[in-house]
Each structure stands twice: as C-alpha cells, then as structure tokens.
Amino acid sequence: GENVEQHPSTLSVQEGDSAVIKCTYSDSASNYFPWYKQELGKGPQLIIDIRSNVGEKKDQRIAVTLNKTAKHFSLHITETQPEDSAVYFCAVSWGKLQFGAGTQVVVTP
Amino acid sequence: EAGVAQSPRYKIIEKRQSVAFWCNPISGHATLYWYQQILGQGPKLLIQFQNNGVVDDSQLPKDRFSAERLKGVDSTLKIQPAKLEDSAVYLCASSLPWTTRAKNIQYFGAGTRLSVL
C-alpha cells in the first residue's frame, strides 16, 4: 500500500515568516495531492490541492509544489499569521486517500 | 450549504460496552467515508460507501466494527465491544460520486471523540 511520510512533526515560526512542510510518497500511481488544515476540535479542511500533471499551484499565501520524479511535494505558507496555527496534513490519492502523520504549526506573534 | 453533521461530539464508555456514531453527509454527496484518527496521527480510512454500497472496508476491524448506510444518505458506525485502543476521534467525510480519475474532494465533519476507559 501507499506510504506517506511527513516532516517536520512540529514547526514553530515567528509571525510574518514562511513555513514549509514536506511529504514523500511511495506509489507512483498516485495522482492527486491535497493538503488539509485541522484546527482544534474540528475536522480537517481542504486548503489546497494539486494534480499529478501540475508542478506548482498557488492560492494567496499558500502554495504547493510537486516533484513526481522524486515523489515528494511540499506546502509553503508565506507571511504567516497567528490564525495559521493548526495541524496540517498532506495526503496522497490514487482513488483512496492516504494521510501523512501531520505537522503541528505554531505561529508566535 | 450545510456541512457534514456528526453526533455525538463526545462519548465516554467503559471497555466491552457498545457505542454508535451518526453521520449526515452534505446533500447530494453519494460517497461517504468513516475515518479513525488516533491522537497524533492522520486519519485512517475505515470504510467507504458509494450510495448504500460498500466500496472499501479493507481496514475495518469487522469482528467489532460495523457500519451501514441503508438509504444512501445517513450512516451509522458501531463498535461492539469496545477496546481501550478504540479511543480516538471518528471522522465522517463525504464527497461527490467517487471515481478513480476525479479529485474526490472530501469534506469532513467535526468528528466524535471517543474515550474508552
């Protein structure tokens, strides 16, 4: 089955700085790579996604990059704000969604 | 648009007792998923329904877990008997009809936090 590794497990950044989370996967058949944000007491919420035929996608302060050859993809958050504090999950899909273990992001004012 | 509704939000039971969780998906979403999220981990798929049929239940511990979606809308997940290791958040998600080629964007409910003592 698919194996998704996510790093780092925790990330502390100063407000205004950038945050980067990286994920690697094993199944080359994977074709869809979403990122979810989970706030305390809530379910995961999709924040950005990318298909396997695209190398980069940006939506305001967040961006995702995909390297299919190396089988890794990354989430970039620029100009971080306190409301960006949450757990972020990468996921990989080839029809079935497999999640990484999550990254706890703490943005300090 | 209403989101995925789940109840109860919290449940505390003793081991060997039974428990049931309820989920109402987003209107029009044919596909419904149940996930188990253990503290500090990502969600793990337990079962996936397309309308009222099971698409994937390969990771459902069938000796104690069961799920149904009788009319293709609401779903219930049951655990009987519960074990200590079942303590987790149980998330329900829904999406438009599932295909291998589509994104299958999943929308999650807030989950039910289960504590087994």
XYZ file of all heavy atoms in Angstrom, chain B residues 43-88:
359
model
N -5.798 10.833 9.808
C -6.988 9.974 9.704
C -6.694 8.704 8.916
O -5.946 8.737 7.930
C -7.990 10.865 8.956
C -7.517 12.269 9.179
C -6.030 12.168 9.237
N -7.287 7.605 9.347
C -7.154 6.327 8.663
C -8.524 5.861 8.221
O -9.447 5.789 9.033
C -6.517 5.280 9.578
C -6.288 3.936 8.912
C -5.766 2.897 9.896
C -6.906 2.249 10.646
N -6.479 1.090 11.460
N -8.663 5.548 6.934
C -9.961 5.141 6.394
C -10.401 3.812 6.978
O -9.651 2.831 6.970
C -9.888 5.029 4.870
C -11.180 4.607 4.181
C -12.230 5.712 4.294
C -10.929 4.263 2.712
N -11.638 3.792 7.487
C -12.227 2.545 7.967
C -13.127 1.925 6.907
O -13.056 0.727 6.631
C -13.038 2.788 9.242
C -12.255 3.193 10.484
C -13.221 3.517 11.621
C -11.305 2.092 10.895
N -14.007 2.732 6.336
C -14.970 2.222 5.365
C -15.424 3.342 4.456
O -15.479 4.499 4.877
C -16.173 1.554 6.071
C -17.079 0.815 5.071
C -16.961 2.556 6.896
C -18.098 -0.101 5.742
N -15.709 2.988 3.202
C -16.182 3.929 2.202
C -17.441 3.363 1.555
O -17.455 2.203 1.117
C -15.109 4.157 1.143
C -15.535 5.049 -0.010
C -14.452 5.186 -1.078
O -13.279 4.964 -0.812
N -14.862 5.542 -2.281
N -18.482 4.198 1.507
C -19.753 3.845 0.855
C -19.918 4.672 -0.411
O -19.578 5.851 -0.446
C -20.946 4.165 1.761
C -21.074 3.310 2.987
C -20.544 3.754 4.199
C -21.735 2.103 2.957
C -20.674 2.985 5.343
C -21.880 1.337 4.099
C -21.338 1.775 5.299
N -20.479 4.059 -1.430
C -20.962 4.793 -2.599
C -22.470 4.498 -2.620
O -22.868 3.348 -2.824
C -20.298 4.312 -3.885
C -20.777 5.029 -5.130
C -19.826 6.138 -5.583
O -19.354 6.925 -4.791
N -19.538 6.143 -6.875
N -23.269 5.556 -2.391
C -24.703 5.380 -2.132
C -24.842 4.440 -0.935
O -24.282 4.734 0.104
C -25.414 4.903 -3.390
C -25.329 5.953 -4.487
O -25.657 7.121 -4.268
N -24.865 5.559 -5.668
N -25.527 3.327 -1.049
C -25.634 2.455 0.119
C -24.790 1.195 -0.015
O -24.941 0.256 0.772
C -27.095 2.118 0.409
C -27.747 1.395 -0.762
O -27.170 1.320 -1.836
N -28.928 0.875 -0.555
N -23.878 1.166 -0.996
C -22.993 0.025 -1.176
C -21.591 0.298 -0.650
O -21.115 1.429 -0.703
N -20.921 -0.746 -0.173
C -19.567 -0.614 0.365
C -18.542 -0.691 -0.771
O -18.538 -1.631 -1.562
C -19.277 -1.726 1.396
C -17.824 -1.659 1.855
C -20.215 -1.606 2.583
N -17.678 0.340 -0.861
C -16.617 0.368 -1.859
C -15.339 -0.234 -1.295
O -14.631 -0.973 -1.972
C -16.359 1.816 -2.340
C -15.160 1.862 -3.281
C -17.593 2.386 -3.002
N -15.042 0.102 -0.041
C -13.790 -0.351 0.583
C -13.994 -0.461 2.078
O -14.348 0.523 2.722
C -12.662 0.641 0.268
C -11.301 0.205 0.801
O -11.213 -0.807 1.527
O -10.305 0.887 0.493
N -13.813 -1.642 2.617
C -13.839 -1.819 4.079
C -12.656 -2.662 4.513
O -12.712 -3.378 5.526
C -15.162 -2.420 4.550
C -15.395 -3.828 4.009
O -14.573 -4.303 3.205
O -16.416 -4.446 4.385
N -11.577 -2.577 3.757
C -10.420 -3.433 3.999
C -9.733 -3.168 5.344
O -9.058 -4.040 5.875
C -9.399 -3.267 2.864
O -8.997 -1.923 2.739
N -9.901 -1.944 5.894
C -9.245 -1.641 7.160
C -10.238 -1.559 8.319
O -9.891 -1.069 9.389
C -8.455 -0.330 7.033
C -7.325 -0.417 6.014
C -6.330 0.715 6.137
O -5.416 0.672 6.963
N -6.522 1.758 5.348
N -11.424 -2.048 8.119
C -12.430 -2.065 9.187
C -12.277 -3.355 10.001
O -12.369 -4.442 9.437
C -13.832 -1.992 8.574
C -14.995 -1.852 9.560
C -15.024 -0.442 10.136
C -16.310 -2.196 8.874
N -12.043 -3.248 11.309
C -11.958 -4.468 12.145
C -13.345 -5.089 12.288
O -14.102 -4.767 13.196
C -11.426 -3.923 13.484
C -10.950 -2.535 13.218
C -11.778 -2.022 12.088
N -13.647 -5.984 11.414
C -15.024 -6.451 11.269
C -15.509 -7.307 12.435
O -16.710 -7.562 12.556
C -15.172 -7.220 9.954
C -14.879 -6.358 8.715
C -15.054 -7.157 7.448
C -14.629 -6.347 6.231
N -13.198 -5.979 6.241
N -14.569 -7.753 13.287
C -15.019 -8.529 14.441
C -15.712 -7.643 15.472
O -16.488 -8.140 16.302
C -13.830 -9.253 15.086
C -12.726 -8.305 15.514
O -12.600 -7.207 14.904
O -11.987 -8.643 16.451
N -15.472 -6.329 15.406
C -16.079 -5.447 16.409
C -16.709 -4.186 15.813
O -17.514 -3.544 16.459
C -15.019 -5.042 17.438
C -14.427 -6.203 18.204
C -13.454 -5.740 19.274
N -12.336 -4.980 18.715
C -12.198 -3.676 18.835
N -13.110 -2.971 19.472
N -11.144 -3.060 18.335
N -16.332 -3.822 14.631
C -16.848 -2.608 13.996
C -17.850 -2.994 12.906
O -17.635 -3.956 12.161
C -15.716 -1.808 13.346
C -14.829 -1.058 14.301
C -14.030 -1.722 15.206
C -14.769 0.329 14.267
C -13.188 -1.034 16.083
C -13.928 1.030 15.128
C -13.147 0.347 16.023
N -18.912 -2.215 12.811
C -19.851 -2.373 11.711
C -20.358 -1.002 11.299
O -20.348 -0.062 12.094
C -21.019 -3.274 12.110
O -21.787 -2.661 13.143
N -20.775 -0.892 10.057
C -21.294 0.381 9.563
C -22.373 0.097 8.547
O -22.341 -0.930 7.860
C -20.178 1.217 8.940
N -23.322 1.023 8.480
C -24.376 0.869 7.484
C -24.809 2.227 6.961
O -24.646 3.253 7.631
C -25.572 0.112 8.063
C -26.215 0.763 9.268
C -27.372 -0.063 9.821
O -27.506 -1.236 9.443
O -28.135 0.482 10.633
N -25.367 2.191 5.769
C -25.894 3.395 5.125
C -27.117 2.941 4.332
O -27.086 2.816 3.125
C -24.849 4.025 4.216
C -25.192 5.434 3.784
C -24.172 5.989 2.808
N -24.467 7.373 2.491
C -24.026 8.007 1.409
N -23.240 7.369 0.543
N -24.334 9.269 1.199
N -28.187 2.682 5.051
C -29.323 1.954 4.486
C -30.013 2.673 3.338
O -30.374 2.075 2.355
C -30.320 1.630 5.599
C -29.822 0.628 6.656
C -30.849 0.450 7.757
C -29.483 -0.700 5.999
N -30.212 3.969 3.429
C -30.975 4.683 2.394
C -30.065 5.552 1.531
O -30.535 6.434 0.830
C -32.075 5.522 3.036
C -33.121 4.680 3.759
C -34.241 5.542 4.328
C -35.295 4.684 5.014
N -36.385 5.498 5.607
N -28.764 5.315 1.608
C -27.837 6.070 0.786
C -27.620 7.495 1.238
O -27.063 8.297 0.480
N -28.033 7.835 2.478
C -27.824 9.204 2.976
C -27.077 9.120 4.304
O -25.854 9.058 4.331
C -29.158 9.967 3.121
C -28.909 11.388 3.633
C -29.889 10.014 1.789
N -27.825 9.047 5.414
C -27.205 8.968 6.735
C -26.463 7.649 6.906
O -26.771 6.640 6.252
C -28.273 9.060 7.829
C -28.920 10.423 7.874
O -28.610 11.252 7.001
O -29.747 10.648 8.775
N -25.515 7.668 7.831
C -24.758 6.447 8.123
C -24.519 6.337 9.615
O -24.457 7.350 10.328
C -23.412 6.470 7.392
O -22.635 5.324 7.719
N -24.407 5.099 10.097
C -24.024 4.862 11.480
C -22.822 3.928 11.518
O -22.704 3.007 10.702
C -25.161 4.243 12.301
O -25.598 3.041 11.650
C -26.324 5.199 12.435
N -21.931 4.183 12.444
C -20.772 3.346 12.705
C -20.905 2.818 14.127
O -21.159 3.594 15.051
C -19.482 4.157 12.570
C -18.167 3.432 12.911
C -17.855 2.367 11.860
C -17.005 4.437 12.991
N -20.771 1.517 14.294
C -20.936 0.910 15.610
C -19.690 0.130 16.013
O -19.024 -0.478 15.162
C -22.144 -0.042 15.613
C -23.459 0.643 15.345
C -24.613 -0.363 15.328
C -25.930 0.334 15.032
N -27.067 -0.630 14.946
N -19.408 0.183 17.303
C -18.320 -0.601 17.864
C -18.906 -1.460 18.985
O -19.571 -0.949 19.888
C -17.199 0.288 18.445
C -16.720 1.320 17.423
C -16.022 -0.585 18.900
C -15.693 2.312 17.975
N -18.699 -2.765 18.885
C -19.219 -3.675 19.910
C -18.423 -4.975 19.922
O -18.437 -5.692 18.912
C -20.700 -3.974 19.643
C -21.337 -4.883 20.680
C -22.808 -5.133 20.399
O -23.321 -4.823 19.328
N -23.495 -5.709 21.367
N -17.707 -5.296 20.980
C -17.461 -4.499 22.179
C -16.253 -3.585 21.993
O -15.333 -3.912 21.231
C -17.143 -5.582 23.219
C -16.436 -6.640 22.412
C -17.091 -6.620 21.055
N -16.238 -2.473 22.679
C -15.137 -1.515 22.553
C -13.918 -1.975 23.354
O -14.041 -2.621 24.399
C -15.581 -0.140 23.043
N -12.739 -1.629 22.820
C -11.481 -1.885 23.498
C -10.807 -0.547 23.809
O -11.131 0.479 23.198
C -10.556 -2.729 22.622
C -11.019 -4.147 22.377
C -9.968 -4.921 21.599
C -10.352 -6.381 21.444
N -9.316 -7.154 20.712
N -9.836 -0.598 24.718
C -9.133 0.626 25.091
C -8.512 1.311 23.873
O -8.539 2.549 23.760
C -8.047 0.316 26.125
C -8.515 -0.222 27.473
C -7.310 -0.551 28.351
C -9.428 0.769 28.178
N -7.980 0.503 22.938
C -7.299 1.066 21.777
C -8.239 1.698 20.753
O -7.777 2.271 19.755
C -6.441 0.000 21.078
C -7.205 -1.222 20.619
C -7.078 -2.383 21.591
O -7.048 -2.152 22.829
O -7.019 -3.528 21.098
N -9.545 1.607 21.000
C -10.509 2.264 20.116
C -10.668 3.745 20.450
O -11.374 4.474 19.734
C -11.879 1.581 20.212
C -11.830 0.130 19.749
O -10.968 -0.195 18.907
O -12.650 -0.661 20.248
N -10.036 4.200 21.527
C -10.095 5.613 21.883
C -9.485 6.440 20.741
O -8.321 6.248 20.378
C -9.334 5.889 23.175
O -9.969 5.264 24.272
N -10.273 7.331 20.194
C -9.855 8.080 19.001
C -10.966 9.060 18.646
O -12.028 9.082 19.275
C -9.617 7.139 17.822
